[in-house]
Amino acid sequence: DQQVKQNSPSLSVQEGRISILNCDYTNSMFDYFLWYKKYPAEGPTFLISISSIKDKNEDGRFTVFLNKSAKHLSLHIVPSQPGDSAVYFCAAGDDKIIFGKGTRLHILP
Amino acid sequence: KAGVTQTPRYLIKTRGQQVTLSCSPISGHRSVSWYQQTPGQGLQFLFEYFSETQRNKGNFPGRFSGRQFSNSRSEMNVSTLELGDSALYLCASRQSGGKIYEQYFGPGTRLTVT
C-alpha cells in the first residue's frame, strides 16, 4: 500500500516556464513533507520541506504547497532552468521517511 | 568535509549468494539510514542505525540486515539473493539531534543479481 504517490512518472516543461510536480499521501498523521532532487549517479539531495502545520514554504525558485484536506502537496519551480532536469522525489514522515516513486522532470530548451 | 561514501559502487552477484555493502557517513554523523531504490517501487526505507543500535526498520524480509560500528560506519548485508534484489542501495547520514530529513545521501551501490 503506497502511502506517498507521485502519479506522473515524467514531466516536460519549457525553460523559463513553471514546473509543477504533484504528490498525494494517505496518512494524515505525517508530521512533515519533503522534496528531494536526484541526478543520475548521485544520491538524492534535500530540496525543500514543509511542516504539517503550514500550507506554503518558499525558498528561492522553489515553493511547496500543502493541502491537508486533499492530502496533496505540490512543488512549483519558477522559472524552470536546464539544471532542474532531474528526478524529484516527494517524501513524508514522522520518525522515518516514506518516499514516492519519483517524477522525472525534463526542462526543454 | 568529505561526503557520504559507499563501497563498492557496482556489484554483480548470482542468485542465492550473499552480499555486504559498506557506508561511511560524514564525519561527526552518528545516524546512518539505508534505502533501496528500484524503478517500480521508488525509494524504500530499509533501516536506520544510531550509535550501533538499530533505531528504525522498514518492511523488508529478514534476509536484509545491517550493523553499525563504533566509528559510525555501517554495513548492510543481504543473504540468499533474489533477482528482485537488483537495485540501487543508498545510505544517508545525519547528525544526532538533526531533523530526520536533514540527511545526506551517498552515491549508492548498484547491485545486479543474475
Side-chain angles (χ1 to χ4, degrees):
Chain A
D1 176 36
Q2 256 195 295
Q3 295 191 59
V4 178
K5 297 179 187 178
Q6 293 178 258
N7 292 318
S8 299
S10 68
L11 176 68
S12 294
V13 174
Q14 208 75 36
E15 182 179 353
R17 297 287 188 97
I18 181 171
S19 294
I20 301 176
L21 295 96
N22 292 302
C23 178
D24 297 299
Y25 61 95
T26 57
N27 188 345
S28 57
M29 301 302 291
F30 285 138
D31 289 333
Y32 51 83
F33 304 87
L34 319 160
W35 287 94
Y36 283 82
K37 177 179 178 178
K38 185 181 185 298
Y39 292 118
E42 294 182 14
T45 54
F46 169 72
L47 197 56
I48 192 168
S49 67
I50 187 166
S51 160
S52 60
I53 61 173
K54 296 191 172 182
D55 55 19
K56 178 183 173 182
N57 188 27
E58 194 171 348
D59 183 3
R61 297 186 298 115
F62 302 91
T63 303
V64 56
F65 294 93
L66 176 63
N67 182 333
K68 287 186 286 293
S69 61
K71 293 194 178 71
H72 177 85
L73 68 153
S74 60
L75 175 68
H76 292 211
I77 306 173
V78 182
S80 300
Q81 298 175 354
D84 296 330
S85 294
V87 176
Y88 289 79
F89 290 97
C90 168
D94 35 48
D95 61 338
K96 62 184 178 193
I97 300 175
I98 298 172
F99 285 82
K101 293 185 180 181
T103 296
R104 185 176 297 278
L105 176 64
H106 298 271
I107 303 301
L108 307 170
Chain B
K1 218 183 228 187
V4 178
T5 57
Q6 291 186 247
T7 56
R9 292 294 310 277
Y10 303 91
L11 202 51
I12 300 174
K13 288 285 189 178
T14 303
R15 194 170 43 182
Q17 287 185 315
Q18 71 147 14
V19 68
T20 299
L21 312 181
S22 180
C23 172
S24 293
I26 291 172
S27 176
H29 288 193
R30 292 167 61 193
S31 165
V32 174
S33 296
W34 287 89
Y35 295 84
Q36 181 196 65
Q37 185 190 355
T38 58
Q41 296 298 323
L43 264 166
Q44 292 187 285
F45 173 75
L46 280 153
F47 27 66
E48 181 191 9
Y49 283 87
F50 179 79
S51 292
E52 302 178 64
T53 302
Q54 188 179 87
R55 185 153 70 172
N56 227 326
K57 191 176 187 305
N59 298 322
F60 277 80
R63 298 186 298 108
F64 292 81
S65 63
R67 60 178 176 167
Q68 188 179 32
F69 301 95
S70 58
N71 62 359
S72 295
R73 189 177 71 85
S74 177
E75 286 182 348
M76 193 194 93
N77 184 276
V78 188
S79 62
T80 320
L81 283 165
E82 299 176 1
L83 296 178
D85 297 333
S86 294
L88 179 68
Y89 290 89
L90 292 156
C91 83
S93 75
R94 65 185 172 99
Q95 290 181 327
S96 55
K99 295 186 177 66
I100 191 164
Y101 55 81
E102 291 172 338
Q103 54 186 347
Y104 296 84
F105 282 86
T109 293
R110 171 76 60 188
L111 172 65
T112 303
V113 182
T114 62

